[in-house]
Amino acid sequence: MELEDFIKNYLGQNSLVDHSKLVCNLSLKMFHKLKKFFSELKDFDNKEDLKLLECGALLHDIGVLFEKKMDKSHHKIGRDLILKNKISGFNDTSNLIIANIVRYHRRALPSLEHKYYKMLNNDDRRKVDIFSSIVRLTDALDYNHFNMTDDFELKYDENERILTIILSINIMLNIGFKELLDKKKELLEKTLDIKVLFN
């Protein structure tokens, strides 16, 4: 199935499409800003890998419309939709990586106890870890789908291994936002072995 058909068939609502496009833009920005501080990310700074991040971010919510009908969480429904229908232009491994990015944009962290994550080799698991940690965090930046922010800055203290994300909105004025960000940063902290703060 073509990527555009996934968006048209499974996102449907304009607000969900707008949110997904914003998360995609924020995810790509986050990756490029992070790679300035973490040289390992430069290994994934190529057209093929960035397309995996882009697709994972764009499709992270494709299971939302089916959540009530299927009595299953939308991140798992999204994973299954990708594995069943396959995104045109991607081989099986790339589809599996994208499906895992969608799967891990919320809730559980990647684990070798999970069947579809375990199917990947170490390098591809690392891509999932990095890309899903980015999508998880940027999804939280638009948690209410109000398009409150489209930019941020990063500061990194290499000695203390503290990454500060400077937002263009006041997180204290948005009830529950700080708590959500604190929850959503866990995978990025674990993946890059850092502490993440918000300002």
Side-chain angles (χ1 to χ4, degrees):
M1 184 183 292
E2 295 294 330
L3 179 62
E4 293 75 20
D5 292 327
F6 270 95
I7 293 168
K8 186 172 71 176
N9 295 340
Y10 299 134
L11 288 175
Q13 312 161 16
N14 285 339
S15 63
L16 209 49
V17 173
D18 290 345
H19 166 71
S20 296
K21 287 180 178 176
L22 177 60
V23 170
C24 180
N25 289 334
L26 289 171
S27 293
L28 291 169
K29 273 186 190 180
M30 179 71 79
F31 175 85
H32 288 298
K33 290 179 189 238
L34 283 171
K35 79 177 180 193
K36 295 173 187 173
F37 305 117
F38 304 98
S39 58
E40 166 198 5
L41 270 62
K42 291 176 182 166
D43 294 342
F44 308 122
D45 188 15
N46 58 73
K47 190 177 175 184
E48 292 77 20
D49 286 340
L50 290 178
K51 197 71 183 162
L52 301 175
L53 172 59
E54 182 183 345
C55 288
L58 271 174
L59 302 179
H60 75 278
D61 272 347
I62 60 172
V64 166
L65 299 178
F66 304 93
E67 206 163 23
K68 286 182 182 167
K69 282 185 208 168
M70 299 180 74
D71 194 30
K72 191 176 182 181
S73 296
H74 75 263
H75 56 290
K76 291 183 180 177
I77 296 170
R79 173 202 63 201
D80 295 344
L81 285 170
I82 292 166
L83 293 177
K84 180 180 176 188
N85 297 293
K86 303 282 170 61
I87 306 164
S88 302
F90 291 95
N91 63 26
D92 287 346
T93 300
S94 293
N95 270 287
L96 187 56
I97 291 169
I98 296 166
N100 273 289
I101 294 169
V102 169
R103 158 68 171 98
Y104 294 117
H105 88 272
R106 63 193 294 264
R107 300 270 176 96
L109 302 185
S111 167
L112 287 172
E113 293 178 11
H114 299 158
K115 173 183 172 183
Y116 296 111
Y117 182 72
K118 190 176 181 178
M119 289 169 68
L120 296 168
N121 66 33
N122 287 337
D123 287 344
D124 290 335
R125 279 187 213 126
R126 189 66 181 159
K127 286 177 197 174
V128 169
D129 294 347
I130 290 167
F131 293 160
S132 58
S133 72
I134 290 172
V135 173
R136 184 180 283 240
L137 195 54
T138 57
D139 181 37
L141 295 180
D142 190 41
Y143 76 108
N144 56 13
H145 296 203
F146 288 167
N147 297 329
M148 289 192 308
T149 185
D150 62 358
D151 205 7
F152 51 86
E153 292 302 325
L154 302 182
K155 240 174 38 180
Y156 184 56
D157 183 329
E158 197 170 352
N159 294 324
E160 299 291 329
R161 296 193 66 78
I162 295 174
L163 178 75
T164 304
I165 301 176
I166 304 156
L167 299 171
S168 58
I169 52 175
N170 187 336
I171 62 174
M172 301 314 287
L173 296 179
N174 295 279
I175 296 168
F177 189 31
K178 184 175 185 326
E179 292 78 8
L180 178 66
L181 289 175
D182 284 341
K183 189 175 168 185
K184 291 280 202 160
K185 69 182 183 176
E186 182 185 0
L187 183 54
L188 188 66
E189 289 182 326
K190 182 181 174 190
T191 300
L192 297 177
D193 187 27
I194 57 172
K195 174 78 177 160
V196 175
L197 301 175
F198 297 95
N199 194 348

